[in-house]
Amino acid sequence: MTDTAVQLTISGIVQGVGFRPFVYNLAGKYAITGWVANNAGGVEIVAEGDQQGIAGFIEALNTQAPPLAVIDSITVQYCQPCGYGEFQIKTSVTDTAKTALISPDIATCHRCQEELRGPDDRRYRYPFINCTNCGPRFSIITDIPYDRPTTTMRNFVMCPACQAEYDNPTDRRFHAQPNACPVCGPAYRLLDAQGCPVDQEQDVFLQAQEQLAAGKILAIKGIGGYHLAVNAKNQAAVSRLRSRKVREDKPFAVMAGSLAAVREQCIVSAMEEQLLTSAARPIVLLAKQTAYNLADSIAPGNPCVGMLLPYAPIHFLLLKPDDIWVMTSGNVSDEPVAYQDTDAISRLSAIADYFLVHNRDIHCRVDDSVVRVVLDKPYFLRRSRGYVPQPIKLAHKLPPVLAVGGELKNTFCLTRGKQAFLSAHIGDLENMITYQSYCEAAQHLQKLLTVTPEMVACDLHPEYLSTKYAQTLELPVIGVQHHHAHIAAVMAEHHLVGPVLGVAFDGTGYGPDGTLWGGEFLVADLREYWRLGHLSYVKLPGGEQAIRQPWRIAVCLLKELYGDNFVNQQTPLARKLPAGWELVLAAAEKGINTPLSSGAGRLFDAVAAILGLRQTIHYEGQAAIELELVAQGIAGQALPYDVREVDGQWLLDSQSIIAALCQALRQGETVQQLAADFHTTLAAATCDMIKRMSKATGITTIVMSGGVFQNVTLLTKIIRMIEQCGLTIYLHRQTPPNDGGLALGQAAIAGERSR
Ligand code: ZN
Ligand code: ZN
Ligand code: FE
């Protein structure tokens, strides 16, 4: 007997994930009449039935939702039954609340993979196969509500067969907005380096596979942009890609055709497997196996390599289960990844021998995400495709803030109520192309989320392009200190109120005293911070140049320690001093263009230079990364160091660590051992600082952030040492410790200050 009626409002990721067909089927099962519809806030249901049926229906909504659905809340309101005769799926109701969540791009599901491989299926070998459980989302959406006309599929008119699936509530493709088939949907073409089509009679995928097998470089248009692909076992091809891409040393990511192929090259833990095979399909940083046999120049000298599994139908088509291909982002050195066709062909024609392109536009560029496992939990190095635009849940509501992020590895952040939406990876905001894509992305995300920011948060650095952008917006601007933002990002993730003891180690960030900070010990809450301690300052003769040439920092440190006699010190650097060192020292002594930096990254640089590992870097953090590599697998010993209190601030004396290293070098210690000892010494000194400050303040909650904590050797050493003292440590778990997580902290602070 129909005696109960309810109106249900469901919020979360419930659109474009097969939610309405699921509701329709449930209604049948529980003898419910009424209707379901998408609205701008999520899904709305009116359900009538007997009391038991309604109860079962609501229960099942909660417990049996489709795999990609994420239910945030279900509100239930009892109302008068109207006596519906059946259950219907209504077409979208648009209203003004517009708070529905957009799904990230999702890897091809198992059923679609089977159809792709099934010779009898009408989508056999069709590289745009998708359903409500999988496929592109964020990258193709141009506006909300999410519907076919607001995606880049709008120009493809569905054939009768596709339309029938789309209209059938019980079909897996019911209202799957990117639904398509070979008859009506987009298609791939193979072009040569000049952009001219090659033999269209033959199967383009077979041709592409042949060219790749022959050592050619293939540019492949995928979900969020272009990849450059070569056979990962072909040494010559990989080297050619490296030289053409002007990317001397930075590791390439590798895509394997199957998990078994990953295991042949790398050690895969249960958590790593879970990440590799998740719907987000990030690049996972894995330790190489002894049997590792990929080209040396993929990740030169590195015990780890970034691997990922196929996620778009084109990857499943191209890679056989035992194939391993380099799949690096389709860009020229530091520019953003190409995603528009004409642009891609003009920019990549000097790199790629062939282009595999398609005619579905990518509206929003999304790079592959990069994650590694630290202490058995995910630790992001880049959060982008597969995760964006899923929000980070905040502890409480904030006013709408746009946080513009930093400069390197930029992302920005928008808040809406209790949610913080971090943008896709933008890249280094150092050139006009990247800046342009940044401005567009900021506009786009505001439109998709229907957020009109009331204030803008930015770094204190006046020269960051992001800061300059903030100033153009005619909104109240809230400046946030760089390292405070780093710490606040972790606090926001973990809903910490503070005060916490924050350790922020990175390269450089703007200090309000005119120096460059980056080895900071802060007491912080979400409004204020106090600089309780820091690494002692080192000189950066030549400013930016000293960051590219770590030997400049190193010679200054040696000179300070040993005077003119430093040239006779038994250090690899002193034995082979780079040309121009006298001029650098002279300039540093006079203080000409020689800023001071407390950056932990700069200390790593100096040590790498003194040990003779690297004098000039080709990408951010290279010297520090190589220092960690050399230390790999060696148990370090803590050398003597000096920690002291000066004018109410704790100082971790970098010079004391350098002096200890030089002393050990004189005694004949190896560079490998000293690289390990340096990590242990810095970890011990950091813990020493933390313990003293914890004792002085009574604060036992420790937060660690900053790009230097991408160094897992240092990170885990500190954690092991601190945990023995009964202190609680929080790390980034949803956002990266590098500047890719900065915007979340800026937003949290700006929002809190205005609350
Ligand atoms: Zn599917
Ligand atoms: Zn079709
Ligand atoms: Fe930073």
Side-chain angles (χ1 to χ4, degrees):
M1 194 187 103
T2 299
D3 57 1
T4 310
V6 287
Q7 185 168 5
L8 304 169
T9 311
I10 305 179
S11 69
I13 301 182
V14 287
Q15 294 186 7
V17 292
F19 201 79
R20 285 174 303 167
F22 153 72
V23 174
Y24 181 90
N25 289 329
L26 272 190
K29 197 166 153 196
Y30 290 96
I32 304 291
T33 59
W35 53 265
V36 57
N38 279 350
N39 63 22
V43 161
E44 215 175 301
I45 302 168
V46 168
E48 297 185 5
D50 62 27
Q51 217 174 351
Q52 223 185 341
I54 293 283
F57 178 69
I58 295 174
E59 163 84 20
L61 282 176
N62 264 311
T63 55
Q64 296 168 27
L68 296 183
V70 181
I71 295 179
D72 268 351
S73 68
I74 301 187
T75 60
V76 182
Q77 238 184 338
Y78 285 86
C79 51
Q80 278 300 320
C82 310
Y84 290 103
E86 54 173 1
F87 195 85
Q88 271 191 326
I89 295 180
K90 285 212 227 171
T91 44
S92 297
V93 180
T94 315
D95 66 24
T96 49
K98 293 193 172 176
T99 51
L101 294 180
I102 292 162
S103 163
D105 302 291
I106 298 293
T108 308
C109 74
H110 286 282
R111 289 178 70 183
C112 287
Q113 286 178 44
E114 274 165 34
E115 291 172 354
L116 188 70
R117 285 191 299 263
D120 299 329
D121 195 274
R122 69 187 193 90
R123 293 189 181 83
Y124 176 54
R125 289 176 69 76
Y126 181 57
F128 297 90
I129 188 168
N130 67 86
C131 72
T132 46
N133 296 323
C134 74
R137 297 287 188 277
F138 177 64
S139 61
I140 60 164
I141 294 175
T142 58
D143 205 348
I144 51 158
Y146 174 52
D147 221 337
R148 188 148 172 129
T150 55
T151 69
T152 58
M153 286 300 290
R154 68 178 164 265
N155 296 330
F156 299 94
V157 178
M158 275 183 274
C159 69
C162 285
Q163 187 70 48
E165 294 166 337
Y166 185 90
D167 292 335
N168 176 3
T170 61
D171 195 279
R172 199 169 97 250
R173 297 197 166 88
F174 175 72
H175 280 213
Q177 306 305 348
N179 192 26
C181 77
V183 175
C184 64
Y188 268 95
R189 290 192 307 154
L190 186 65
L191 311 176
D192 64 19
Q194 282 71 49
C196 302
V198 300
D199 187 359
Q200 298 294 306
E201 296 302 305
Q202 274 193 61
D203 182 305
V204 292
F205 310 113
L206 293 178
Q207 289 183 74
Q209 284 169 323
E210 274 165 26
Q211 294 301 347
L212 196 120
K216 294 288 193 283
I217 300 171
L218 201 62
I220 305 170
K221 185 176 178 182
I223 298 292
Y226 276 77
H227 278 126
L228 289 162
V230 286
N231 180 351
K233 290 187 178 170
N234 184 332
Q235 187 83 253
V238 177
S239 305
R240 212 151 44 84
L241 174 59
R242 198 167 270 294
S243 67
R244 286 194 194 171
K245 223 188 146 183
V246 202
R247 177 162 164 152
E248 280 182 76
D249 308 301
K250 216 170 172 179
F252 287 140
V254 171
M255 183 180 276
S258 64
L259 194 58
V262 176
R263 286 192 198 282
E264 259 169 44
Q265 304 295 337
C266 292
I267 302 161
V268 183
S269 72
M271 176 52 75
E272 286 160 345
E273 176 178 337
Q274 201 180 315
L275 284 164
L276 279 168
T277 56
S278 68
R281 293 283 154 97
I283 295 168
V284 184
L285 228 54
L286 299 170
K288 293 173 182 171
Q289 285 272 25
T290 36
Y292 178 88
N293 63 351
L294 303 184
D296 289 339
S297 56
I298 286 176
N302 199 317
C304 291
V305 63
M307 296 198 95
L308 80 167
L309 287 172
Y311 58 85
I314 184 71
H315 305 144
F316 291 100
L317 264 185
L318 289 174
L319 280 91
K320 296 188 285 296
D322 48 3
D323 277 341
I324 297 213
W325 292 9
V326 166
M327 275 287 198
T328 186
S329 43
N331 58 354
V332 187
S333 71
D334 294 329
E335 290 179 358
V337 170
Y339 70 105
Q340 280 157 338
D341 303 331
T342 44
D343 173 55
I345 291 167
S346 73
R347 277 166 57 201
L348 302 180
S349 62
I351 303 178
D353 300 307
Y354 291 93
F355 286 84
L356 203 47
V357 300
H358 64 67
N359 55 341
R360 180 176 71 199
D361 286 343
I362 297 168
H363 188 73
C364 206
R365 172 174 79 88
V366 224
D367 295 55
D368 293 326
S369 296
V370 186
V371 64
R372 71 186 296 174
V373 172
V374 172
L375 303 174
D376 218 32
K377 287 190 195 134
Y379 193 63
F380 282 87
L381 303 181
R382 179 198 295 160
R383 179 185 184 272
S384 207
R385 180 190 47 76
Y387 299 96
V388 172
Q390 255 171 49
I392 313 251
K393 282 192 189 124
L394 301 172
H396 47 70
K397 277 190 179 178
L398 292 184
V401 183
L402 168 64
V404 295
E407 175 148 272
L408 300 179
K409 299 185 168 72
N410 179 283
T411 66
F412 58 88
C413 179
L414 273 168
T415 59
R416 187 175 74 183
K418 281 175 81 169
Q419 298 168 323
F421 296 86
L422 221 51
S423 76
H425 170 75
I426 304 280
D428 298 346
L429 269 186
E430 289 177 314
N431 55 55
M432 275 332 276
I433 303 183
T434 313
Y435 182 69
Q436 233 159 21
S437 90
Y438 169 80
C439 299
E440 283 162 18
Q443 288 298 324
H444 182 58
L445 198 61
Q446 287 174 45
K447 186 165 87 170
L448 288 191
L449 299 172
T450 54
V451 170
T452 310
E454 286 171 10
M455 69 198 79
V456 52
C458 66
D459 199 272
L460 294 178
H461 201 305
E463 294 304 319
Y464 280 2
L465 283 179
S466 58
T467 304
K468 291 182 175 169
Y469 175 71
Q471 282 153 355
T472 64
L473 296 177
E474 295 176 355
L475 286 170
V477 177
I478 298 175
V480 177
Q481 201 279 324
H482 190 93
H483 305 95
H484 186 204
H486 270 308
I487 298 304
V490 179
M491 295 177 70
E493 267 192 38
H494 294 280
H495 299 182
L496 302 176
V497 184
V500 301
L501 263 180
V503 184
F505 280 4
D506 65 3
T508 40
Y510 191 86
D513 58 359
T515 63
L516 298 167
W517 291 14
E520 307 310 309
F521 295 81
L522 311 176
V523 169
D525 59 21
L526 287 172
R527 287 169 183 270
E528 301 298 334
Y529 72 93
W530 298 266
R531 193 189 200 197
L532 216 57
H534 59 91
L535 285 185
S536 62
Y537 285 104
V538 298
K539 288 178 180 169
L540 305 188
E544 281 295 313
Q545 241 181 323
I547 294 174
R548 284 192 299 274
Q549 300 178 333
W551 64 264
R552 287 169 173 258
I553 306 168
V555 289
C556 288
L557 277 165
L558 290 179
K559 174 82 193 280
E560 277 164 30
L561 279 170
Y562 303 108
D564 288 332
N565 194 33
F566 88 90
V567 289
N568 299 321
Q569 292 295 311
Q570 286 307 307
T571 64
L573 173 64
R575 282 199 291 268
K576 206 180 159 190
L577 282 166
W581 63 272
E582 295 100 331
L583 288 174
V584 165
L585 277 181
E589 245 148 65
K590 289 191 197 121
I592 302 168
N593 188 20
T594 299
L596 293 176
S597 165
S598 59
R602 300 292 84 87
L603 179 58
F604 270 87
D605 288 351
V607 171
I610 289 170
L611 294 181
L613 295 171
R614 182 149 291 278
Q615 311 304 344
T616 302
I617 62 163
H618 302 118
Y619 62 88
E620 192 210 356
Q622 186 179 14
I625 289 167
E626 290 175 356
L627 187 60
E628 186 189 9
L629 292 185
V630 169
Q632 213 81 32
I634 302 170
Q637 267 189 324
L639 304 172
Y641 60 81
D642 188 19
V643 162
R644 59 180 182 276
E645 208 179 342
V646 185
D647 304 330
Q649 271 190 344
W650 293 96
L651 208 65
L652 197 173
D653 186 353
S654 323
Q655 276 89 343
S656 69
I657 298 180
I658 301 286
L661 287 170
C662 290
Q663 161 113 32
L665 275 170
R666 280 197 297 275
Q667 289 162 353
E669 195 51 272
T670 65
V671 165
Q672 288 75 9
Q673 183 61 47
L674 287 177
D677 291 352
F678 169 68
H679 281 83
T680 307
T681 310
L682 183 57
T686 302
C687 290
D688 195 337
M689 292 278 281
I690 292 170
K691 279 190 269 180
R692 289 173 197 236
M693 288 182 280
S694 170
K695 206 171 161 201
T697 59
I699 299 170
T700 56
T701 306
I702 316 298
V703 163
M704 304 213 294
S705 180
V708 165
F709 289 124
Q710 294 171 104
N711 180 321
V712 175
T713 308
L714 179 70
L715 181 69
T716 49
K717 278 184 186 204
I718 294 176
I719 291 172
R720 293 216 177 89
M721 291 177 192
I722 294 186
E723 280 183 338
Q724 291 168 358
C725 324
L727 304 173
T728 316
I729 301 168
Y730 290 89
L731 304 179
H732 285 269
R733 288 302 184 185
Q734 302 172 66
T735 58
N738 58 46
D739 286 4
L742 203 64
L744 175 64
Q746 293 175 342
I749 291 167
E752 190 64 32
R753 281 193 190 153
S754 65
R755 219 158 61 99

